[in-house]
């Protein structure tokens, strides 16, 4: 039996050798085929991912363009309509320059002493001057979904305001061998991203300085919590925490993108989209302002306390339409004092060599105004340059052209980057403002670096977030992350599929909202009124109407089903978009489509008209909102149609309209149900 076992083992060994040696060439060919298939598979997924990304970004930028157009329309009303006009009165309060915001009287708006903290309050307690322990406790509290009491919110905002008003417009930060600088990009209300950065990198401190590069708020749901955390660390470490303003730190932008809704518009600040009117002091000690206000009375001021405007608070010498756009290259041309001198003086005023406690005490014991001094001459084009800094994007071509995609700012090329860096003896420009799939991206021969810290910006799995660590060698080191745990368990195919479905759903809503315009465009290619057009004409019409710059022929397979000999039945196609309309009693189809198409503009106007931030507007205010929108769109909407709409959405019949319920009631929904539509053919 022993011999039998030996022979069996030998046969098995021989079989193994044969299986290893004989099919080697075949195995190599199989491996090459698998490799080729896998590369094609990954390439197809990457193409789908890029196409999905283009959809999200195009829709985002189209919304920003609408916002700028609406705001320019408001500005036109302010510049050209009489102060008594009803349209102007609706919006005038959002354009008034708040002179008191540079005056110690502003502190009464942060009055917190009359607000009691109840014994049942279980959230964090703050003491002032705030300490690093307070800031760390605040981070932990928000991590556990706790809220900060309104007394502490007001007190924290007041302390931050006192510090921010005397800080310079430009911060200078140095690295040394003992510490690195951490740079974060857009957070956009994504608290979990900020918490993850702190977990991986550590809390801000004198040994771990941070730069937060703007766009802290909007789009996400925790903008206020992010601001309060950043403000608390700024108060503790004023020398080591630096907050740059982004284009979303602007109350006009907040009206559209969520921060106003989140905090009920309680804490507003000057918008960068429209310069405040020039204010000057006459011989009688009165303030002369170019700002037209309903209140004709002037405000006397102490003649010894004359105002100085900061670089980001330039005034206009004329109408907004008389100001010509300037490129970034001319930023320093008209500054009457050098940046270095202003920076040095502002840092001295801020007392940044002192501890915050000493600084706070010195401010409390001083009646001086940090803005006192000679009035600087300022120009509207300088204000436009600030808008350019906040809204602009790099482009691969040389030159500097208006950013028609976003509707504000400009596109600048590698030649502009080289000139700016050479002129100021700089080696690298780090900016934010654009979402990048990997959280960061180099361009312009690696001289411009975009950093974006809000992961899952468009959809779960759509992009990574990143932050930068930079030491004395000034070489950026990147740390990437995904804040949502669900994305870590997804395969590449699942992640791409999920974001693709979300992007296509948003695009279908956009198509449905422009239904009438699209059908009119389709009919231009259908002179015989057959209801059929070619797929090439379909793609041309889509771009002509929507102007999203998307590869419609590539998207055809995702948006168009079966065709008849290459011809598309466009009425049937609309019925198959899988968009379920809300159930309303409104019979005016034109008004309903206008609502769908311009719902973001409507919500913005609602937020403006709702001056008491109650979330409710009267029937008359609702009518004025639609009249304002119809003026902007240059379309006629009858009072009867508006009244019918108001009655149909007054759900509890109390004579007022809840803004949130109104927007939700008319939201388009993507689903499996098809909305039946009567085919005119």
């Amino acid at each position: 039996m022993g011999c039998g076992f030996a022979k069996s083992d030998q046969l098995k060994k021989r079989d193994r050798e044969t299986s290893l040696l004989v099919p080697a060439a075949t195995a190599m060919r199989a491996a090459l085929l698998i490799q080729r298939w896998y590369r094609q598979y990954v390439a197809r997924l990457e193409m789908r991912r890029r196409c999905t990304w283009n959809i999200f970004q195009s829709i985002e930028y189209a919304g920003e363009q609408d916002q700028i157009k609406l705001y320019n329309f408001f500005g036109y009303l302010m510049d050209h309509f009489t102060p008594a006009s009803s349209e102007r009165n609706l919006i005038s309060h959002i354009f008034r320059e708040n002179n008191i915001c540079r005056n110690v009287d502003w502190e009464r708006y942060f009055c917190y002493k009359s607000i009691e903290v109840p014994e049942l309050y279980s959230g964090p307690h703050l003491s002032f001057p705030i300490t690093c322990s307070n800031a760390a406790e605040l981070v932990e509290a928000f991590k556990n979904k706790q809220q900060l009491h309104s007394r502490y919110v007001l007190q924290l905002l007041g302390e931050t305001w006192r510090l921010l008003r005397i800080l310079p417009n430009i911060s200078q930060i140095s690295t040394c061998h003992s510490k690195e600088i951490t740079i974060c990009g857009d957070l956009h209300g994504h608290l979990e991203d900020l918490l993850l950065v702190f977990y991986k990198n550590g809390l801000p401190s004198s040994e771990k300085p941070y730069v937060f590069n703007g766009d802290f708020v909007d789009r996400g749901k925790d903008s206020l919590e992010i601001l309060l955390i950043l403000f608390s660390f700024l108060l503790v470490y004023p020398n080591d925490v630096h907050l740059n303003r982004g284009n979303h730190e602007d109350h006009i932008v907040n009206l559209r993108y969520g921060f106003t809704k989140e905090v009920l518009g309680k804490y507003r600040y000057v918008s960068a989209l429209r310069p405040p009117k020039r204010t000057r002091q006459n011989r009688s000690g009165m303030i002369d302002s170019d700002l037209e206000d309903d209140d004709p009375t002037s405000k006397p001021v102490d003649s010894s306390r004359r105002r100085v405007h900061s670089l980001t608070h330039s005034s206009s010498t004329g109408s907004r339409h008389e100001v010509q756009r300037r490129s970034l290259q001319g930023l320093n041309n008209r500054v009457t004092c050098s940046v270095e001198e202003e920076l040095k003086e502002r840092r001295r005023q801020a007392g940044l060599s002192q501890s915050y406690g000493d600084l706070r005490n010195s401010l409390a014991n001083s009646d001086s105004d940090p803005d006192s001094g000679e009035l600087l001459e300022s120009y509207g084009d300088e204000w436009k340059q600030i808008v350019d800094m906040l809204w602009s994007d790099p482009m691969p071509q040389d030159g500097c052209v208006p950013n028609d995609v976003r509707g504000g700012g400009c596109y600048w090329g590698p030649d502009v980057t080289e000139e700016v860096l050479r002129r100021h003896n700089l080696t690298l420009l780090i900016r934010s403002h654009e979402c990048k799939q990997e959280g960061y991206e180099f361009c312009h021969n690696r001289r411009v670096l975009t950093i974006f810290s809000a992961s899952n910006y468009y959809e779960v799995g759509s992009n990574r977030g990143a932050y930068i660590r930079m030491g004395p060698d000034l070489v950026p080191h990147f740390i990437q992350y995904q804040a949502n745990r669900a994305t870590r368990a997804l395969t590449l195919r699942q992640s791409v599929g999920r974001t693709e479905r979300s992007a296509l759903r948003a695009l279908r809503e956009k198509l449905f909202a422009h239904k009438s315009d699209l059908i009119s465009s389709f009919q231009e290619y259908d002179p015989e009124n057959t209801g059929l057009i070619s797929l090439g004409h379909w793609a041309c019409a889509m771009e002509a109407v929507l102007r999203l710059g998307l590869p419609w022929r590539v998207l055809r397979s995702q948006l168009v089903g079966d065709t008849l000999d290459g011809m598309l039945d466009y009425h049937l196609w609309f019925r198959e978009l899988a968009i379920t309309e809300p159930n309303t009693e409104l019979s005016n189809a034109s008004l309903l489509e206008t609502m769908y198409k311009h719902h973001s503009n409507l919500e913005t106007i609602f937020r403006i008209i709702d001056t008491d931030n109650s979330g409710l507007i009267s029937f008359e205010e609702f009518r004025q909102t639609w009249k304002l929108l119809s003026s902007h769109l240059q379309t006629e909407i009858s009072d009867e149609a508006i009244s019918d709409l108001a009655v149909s959405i007054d759900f509890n019949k109390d004579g007022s309209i809840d803004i949130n319920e109104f927007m939700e009631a008319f939201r388009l929904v993507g689903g499996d149900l098809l909305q039946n539509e009567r085919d005119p053919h």
Side-chain angles (χ1 to χ4, degrees), residues 325-340:
R325 180 176 302 280
R326 298 296 182 90
S327 71
L328 292 171
Q329 294 173 325
L331 180 60
N332 295 327
N333 291 347
R334 299 194 178 201
V335 180
T336 57
C337 63
S338 70
V339 172
E340 290 79 8

Side-chain angles (χ1 to χ4, degrees), residues 25 28 35 86 129 136 149 183 194 216 229 248 303 316 362 366 372 381 448 520 527 599 610 620 650 653 659 668 681:
M28 180 61 69
Q35 184 184 62
S86 59
H149 194 273
I183 305 171
L194 179 61
F216 320 120
I229 289 175
H248 278 263
S303 60
S316 174
S362 64
S366 173
S372 62
D381 58 347
V448 173
S520 297
H599 68 277
D610 181 26
E620 176 59 24
D650 181 18
K653 308 303 178 185
I659 297 175
L668 288 169
H681 300 284

Side-chain angles (χ1 to χ4, degrees), residues 36 72 76 78 83 100 129 148 365 411 454 476 527 546:
R36 183 183 305 172
N72 289 339
Y76 178 84
M78 292 299 298
I100 203 171
L148 185 64
N365 296 329
Y411 280 118
L546 298 176

Side-chain angles (χ1 to χ4, degrees), residues 192-232:
E192 56 185 4
D193 286 298
L194 179 61
L195 297 178
L196 184 58
V197 171
F198 286 164
Y199 173 78
K200 296 170 73 72
N201 194 63
L203 296 176
S205 67
S206 56
E207 291 76 30
K208 195 176 291 294
Y210 274 80
V211 175
F212 294 94
N213 204 29
D215 282 5
F216 320 120
V217 302
D218 281 339
R219 302 191 187 276
K221 59 183 176 61
D222 297 315
S223 296
L224 183 58
E225 286 78 2
I226 287 178
L227 277 184
L228 294 176
I229 289 175
L230 297 184
F231 287 166
S232 65

